[in-house]
Amino acid sequence: MSPSARSPIIGRLLGTLAVVLAGTFLAATCFQTVLGSRQLASNFISPATWAAVTAAHPSAMGSGTVMPERALVDISFGFTLLPCAVVSLVTWLGGSVWLTRRGWSWNEALITWGWYGWGWWILLDVWEWIWMSAAAVGWASLADLLSVIPQFWLAGCLAGWITTFLTLASVRRSSPESNVVSSSQRRVWIAVSVYTLVYTAMNWRLYGNLLVPHGDSVMYEEHLWNLLHGKGFRSYLDQGLFLGEHIQFVHLFLLPLYVLWPSHLLLELCSSASLALGAFPVYWMARRHCGSDRAAFGVAVAYLLYFPMQFLDIEIDLKTFRPESFGIPLLLLTFDQLDRRNLSGTLAGIALCLTVKEDYTLIFGPLGLWIAFHRENTTQLDGIPPTDADNAAAGSAVKNESGVVGAIRRLCRSRVVIGLGLSLFSVGYLWFATRVAMPWFRSGSEVHYASYFARFGKTPEEILQAWLTQPFSVIEALLTLETALYAMAMLAPVMFLPLFSPGRLAVGLPLFFILCLNELDGSRTPQHQFHAPLVAVVFWSVAAGLPRATSLITLLSRRLKAIPSNDQVDIQGVLARLVWTASLCTGLFFSLGPQGFPFWDPGSSWYWRTLYGPNPRSEKFARIAPLIPATARVASTDFVHPRFTHHERSYDYSGYQRKLAGEGQRIPADTDYLVIDTGHKYSTIKWPGEIPELRDNPEGWELLPDLTEGTFIVLKRKRDER
């Protein structure tokens, strides 16, 4: 190579080196700021781990012992620069070596990977600049928001960095799309199987370790057991049949399997499998809209890595089974049938979704309006192929234009009728469920979740009236940091692609706003069950939004000449990679599974060894289990309660006043045994003298010998008291 030819290469290499160095230094600066603050660091690691890390820092050690309550620690720049430099050097050189195996020359690999890849490292520190600027000028609201979202910013930059490398690795080698179809479908099956195995194993270990509560989890298995044994569709938490709590009976469809295997473990398996199988309608919808199996596979993987979906499998408080988990795949199938223009399939899906919970009417009401007023585009922007009837109508256009106009008008009228009919039905069903059916099963009592909106009223009518007549109070309640974080948590893992299909995304807005007005702890975060229908709406919108985003970005790139017309970059493929990598990277900071740092963080409440490793409580319970016959009526605390659901009766022993127990009583009068779990972290009773029943009536109860070193306390009612 001549000197004149080498000069441009050397210049480009030096420019790339400058970008890599700048990215490394700025990333180290960002991490220095985050690690120096307990508040900022808590977005990434547990306070206990942060205290341990900062305690090991020389400057921190010199200033004294780092206590968990300390808010700030002086972290030296070298403490974060060294690991950033090592990662930067290894990934730059290692990535370049890999690219040379994909058809790149060494110089081009170094330059292209370093230039585009480390631009994301530079972008990482932009968060710090904006945050510090907002604080400096007194924009407290913006500064507060930025202080709780650095994990989203880091996840976005990391996803962009990974996507850049994957795109460079694929740009020189690609196989025809026709060769990908069957392999993509097989890979979806593999991904679904892996998710099911991992989360089923986790759920089973939690149950085995006595970490799954009875309330709002194992009580659903008790429904099946009691129904099969003539006790009604209920658990003994309820004042009557469970239909007084919710019009929710989808889990009864498991009865044929439950007859063969009457165990809560069956429900856990079915829950994880059903959530995983939701990847298939996501795949089908994305393939239909995008016309690419590669892109569809990427969206399906993003669904499995989407941490708000995973929280339907294991909630933040370790409730591992909810019937709502069946609602996500059912609603996704409903959307898939709607996109296919299959009316019977859509109606069947709607009917099945209504067995999950009455809340789904809050989706179907807006969906009806979308069906009624959404208009198909002849360019098939929405990706919906024409039906045979459409083709026949198009063919007859040459002969009779008026017939086509009439057919289109009839089609529009039918969509309007079906859509408005669905909306009216949804309103009527919700009214019937909350004002007629549920109060009837509750002996006239008000539905329990009216109390979730106490600031607006005591009954659904009062609450609705307040929403309509006090708009400023509603707006004030919605414009909060929690609302912004909730929206961020739902949209950031899919890189905000649903915004490119605003009509579909708007179907979920009423439910989202209601959840944001909910005063119950945990309702304004996707870490419980409330947001389940929104997961399906998000991925329905992603499937339609991906090709729209592709078209827009391609148009802008061509006009700005950012991408030459003959470039091999597949914009749609890049966006599909960005979606699943973003879902992966946000899960690093939120997922409770192996995908997330909390699973591996020793200071975290969700550390794998603590939750899934050997647990002495389960071994100790085995010592007392033979003491309590299956014919007994047992009252027990929440986390040991699941072991007694197959007994004659299984009553709740807690601070809640159960109507079943009688006014002023904690347990019913026919209780034979009382079992207290003192070993769980939420246990309030630690020794027999703290049990009111034994303290107030020592002649009526026998304290059985302690076989568990105080972990479990067992009281037996004396026979002469019966």
Side-chain angles (χ1 to χ4, degrees):
M1 181 181 296
S2 64
S4 60
R6 284 197 300 268
S7 297
I9 292 294
I10 294 175
R12 292 173 62 198
L13 281 172
L14 291 176
T16 300
L17 179 61
V19 170
V20 172
L21 290 175
T24 303
F25 276 85
L26 290 173
T29 301
C30 180
F31 290 131
Q32 179 189 24
T33 300
V34 168
L35 276 179
S37 165
R38 179 165 59 91
Q39 177 189 353
L40 294 178
S42 66
N43 293 301
F44 300 92
I45 56 178
S46 65
T49 298
W50 175 79
V53 170
T54 53
H57 184 263
S59 64
M61 294 173 63
S63 61
T65 303
V66 177
M67 303 300 292
E69 61 271 14
R70 286 190 60 181
L72 297 173
V73 172
D74 184 18
I75 299 293
S76 67
F77 183 57
F79 190 70
T80 55
L81 177 61
L82 180 60
C84 285
V86 171
V87 172
S88 182
L89 181 63
V90 171
T91 54
W92 184 29
L93 297 180
S96 299
V97 171
W98 180 266
L99 291 178
T100 60
R101 299 182 178 181
R102 307 292 291 181
W104 291 77
S105 68
W106 173 249
N107 287 336
E108 285 297 323
L110 278 175
I111 293 170
T112 308
W113 170 223
W115 182 269
Y116 291 106
W118 270 253
W120 294 102
W121 288 51
I122 294 174
L123 182 62
L124 175 61
D125 200 42
V126 172
W127 162 83
E128 183 183 12
W129 303 342
I130 300 175
W131 174 61
M132 296 179 66
S133 300
V137 300
W139 292 350
S141 297
L142 179 59
D144 290 342
L145 175 63
L146 290 169
S147 70
V148 293
I149 65 166
Q151 68 274 44
F152 290 109
W153 192 284
L154 174 58
C157 293
L158 182 58
W161 184 59
I162 296 173
T163 298
T164 298
F165 177 76
L166 295 176
T167 300
L168 295 176
S170 64
V171 74
R172 297 296 176 91
R173 289 187 181 182
S174 61
S175 57
E177 186 68 33
S178 59
N179 297 335
V180 182
V181 177
S182 60
S183 63
S184 292
Q185 292 175 345
R186 286 195 299 269
R187 285 185 290 172
V188 173
W189 273 113
I190 293 172
V192 165
S193 300
V194 170
Y195 176 93
T196 302
L197 289 173
V198 170
Y199 274 83
T200 299
M202 291 168 63
N203 288 331
W204 284 5
R205 287 300 302 160
L206 289 173
Y207 181 80
N209 283 344
L210 294 175
L211 295 175
V212 178
H214 174 268
D216 293 332
S217 194
V218 183
M219 74 178 196
Y220 295 107
E221 186 262 338
E222 189 180 4
H223 291 168
L224 304 187
W225 178 267
N226 287 345
L227 188 60
L228 284 179
H229 291 80
K231 303 176 187 179
F233 179 41
R234 62 172 302 171
S235 76
Y236 287 97
L237 293 177
D238 310 322
Q239 57 184 332
L241 296 183
F242 179 67
L243 295 176
E245 303 298 316
H246 293 290
I247 306 302
Q248 181 180 62
F249 54 91
V250 65
H251 51 304
L252 296 187
F253 293 125
L254 298 177
L255 278 172
L257 295 174
Y258 188 78
V259 169
L260 301 176
W261 185 17
S263 170
H264 181 70
L265 300 182
L266 169 69
L267 276 65
E268 301 287 8
L269 170 62
C270 293
S271 173
S272 296
S274 66
L275 285 169
L277 288 171
F280 281 100
V282 169
Y283 173 78
W284 298 328
M285 290 188 291
R287 183 176 62 180
R288 190 178 308 115
H289 284 279
C290 301
S292 167
D293 282 85
R294 286 195 185 94
F297 175 71
V299 177
V301 171
Y303 165 81
L304 293 172
L305 296 173
Y306 187 61
F307 78 84
M309 185 279 289
Q310 295 175 0
F311 274 111
L312 270 298
D313 212 331
I314 301 178
E315 295 183 25
I316 194 71
D317 50 7
L318 302 183
K319 293 173 182 176
T320 57
F321 177 84
R322 293 269 197 172
E324 287 87 342
S325 62
F326 299 113
I328 294 179
L330 288 175
L331 187 54
L332 285 168
L333 283 170
T334 303
F335 288 145
D336 177 61
Q337 292 300 302
L338 178 61
D339 279 0
R340 294 175 189 266
R341 300 180 179 180
N342 184 342
L343 179 60
S344 59
T346 301
L347 295 178
I350 291 171
L352 288 173
C353 286
L354 292 178
T355 69
V356 177
K357 208 174 184 181
E358 68 278 358
D359 296 7
Y360 278 74
T361 54
L362 298 173
I363 295 295
F364 294 136
L367 179 63
L369 297 178
W370 183 87
I371 293 172
F373 300 109
H374 174 72
R375 290 292 175 264
E376 305 296 347
N377 192 315
T378 55
T379 61
Q380 298 181 33
L381 181 61
D382 294 301
I384 303 176
T387 63
D388 294 338
D390 296 332
N391 292 330
S396 64
V398 178
K399 299 180 180 180
N400 190 347
E401 183 177 353
S402 62
V404 173
V405 174
I408 292 175
R409 287 176 178 172
R410 287 193 297 273
L411 176 63
C412 291
R413 282 198 300 270
S414 66
R415 291 179 65 94
V416 170
V417 169
I418 292 171
L420 293 181
L422 176 59
S423 294
L424 291 174
F425 168 78
S426 299
V427 173
Y429 183 89
L430 183 60
W431 174 84
F432 175 79
T434 58
R435 310 316 297 146
V436 178
M438 291 164 62
W440 188 83
F441 285 108
R442 296 172 64 87
S443 302
S445 300
E446 188 57 81
V447 292
H448 66 283
Y449 47 70
S451 62
Y452 299 169
F453 308 93
R455 65 179 293 186
F456 296 105
K458 297 180 179 180
T459 67
E461 290 82 3
E462 292 179 359
I463 294 167
L464 182 59
Q465 182 180 9
W467 288 350
L468 295 176
T469 59
Q470 303 174 28
F472 292 106
S473 297
V474 174
I475 293 173
E476 180 184 4
L478 289 175
L479 296 180
T480 64
L481 182 62
E482 285 183 294
T483 300
L485 279 176
Y486 197 171
M488 181 81 71
M490 296 299 296
L491 297 177
V494 288
M495 291 304 289
F496 301 95
L497 278 183
L499 297 177
F500 288 91
S501 184
R504 286 172 168 81
L505 185 62
V507 168
L509 284 181
L511 177 58
F512 177 77
F513 288 147
I514 289 174
L515 293 179
C516 291
L517 295 173
N518 193 329
E519 299 169 39
L520 187 69
D521 289 342
S523 63
R524 287 162 287 180
T525 173
Q527 296 176 315
H528 293 273
Q529 90 286 0
F530 303 104
H531 66 287
L534 297 179
V535 173
V537 173
V538 164
F539 278 89
W540 183 44
S541 305
V542 168
L546 181 57
R548 293 181 174 185
T550 300
S551 299
L552 178 61
I553 293 174
T554 301
L555 178 63
L556 292 176
S557 299
R558 295 287 184 255
R559 289 186 176 180
L560 298 174
K561 297 182 179 181
I563 300 178
S565 58
N566 61 346
D567 200 283
Q568 300 180 47
V569 176
D570 174 15
I571 299 297
Q572 185 169 261
V574 172
L575 289 177
R577 294 187 193 99
L578 194 57
V579 169
W580 74 257
T581 54
S583 194
L584 168 69
C585 294
T586 50
L588 293 176
F589 310 113
F590 294 98
S591 174
L592 300 187
Q595 175 187 351
F597 290 155
F599 184 86
W600 307 102
D601 184 349
S604 167
S605 299
W606 302 277
Y607 181 45
W608 71 268
R609 191 181 297 276
T610 302
L611 298 183
Y612 310 105
N615 189 320
R617 285 174 60 245
S618 59
E619 184 273 328
K620 291 178 180 179
F621 175 79
R623 304 176 194 172
I624 66 166
L627 302 178
I628 305 169
T631 55
R633 302 184 177 208
V634 186
S636 57
T637 50
D638 199 23
F639 287 86
V640 73
H641 193 163
R643 296 301 190 268
F644 300 111
T645 55
H646 293 187
H647 284 61
E648 179 64 24
R649 292 285 190 276
S650 62
Y651 299 133
D652 173 58
Y653 186 80
S654 66
Y656 293 100
Q657 174 64 61
R658 305 291 181 186
K659 289 191 175 183
L660 191 67
E663 188 66 30
Q665 302 296 318
R666 299 181 72 172
I667 57 176
D670 63 354
T671 302
D672 298 315
Y673 288 84
L674 178 56
V675 182
I676 308 295
D677 174 10
T678 69
H680 194 272
K681 64 179 181 179
Y682 298 132
S683 299
T684 57
I685 295 177
K686 300 299 182 182
W687 62 288
E690 296 176 330
I691 304 175
E693 287 73 15
L694 182 63
R695 184 182 61 237
D696 300 339
N697 184 22
E699 297 82 11
W701 293 91
E702 175 189 356
L703 176 63
L704 297 188
D706 181 9
L707 305 177
T708 62
E709 294 81 41
T711 301
F712 295 99
I713 303 172
V714 182
L715 300 183
K716 179 180 179 181
R717 190 185 293 272
K718 295 181 180 179
R719 293 184 180 276
D720 57 1
E721 291 291 314
R722 292 293 302 272

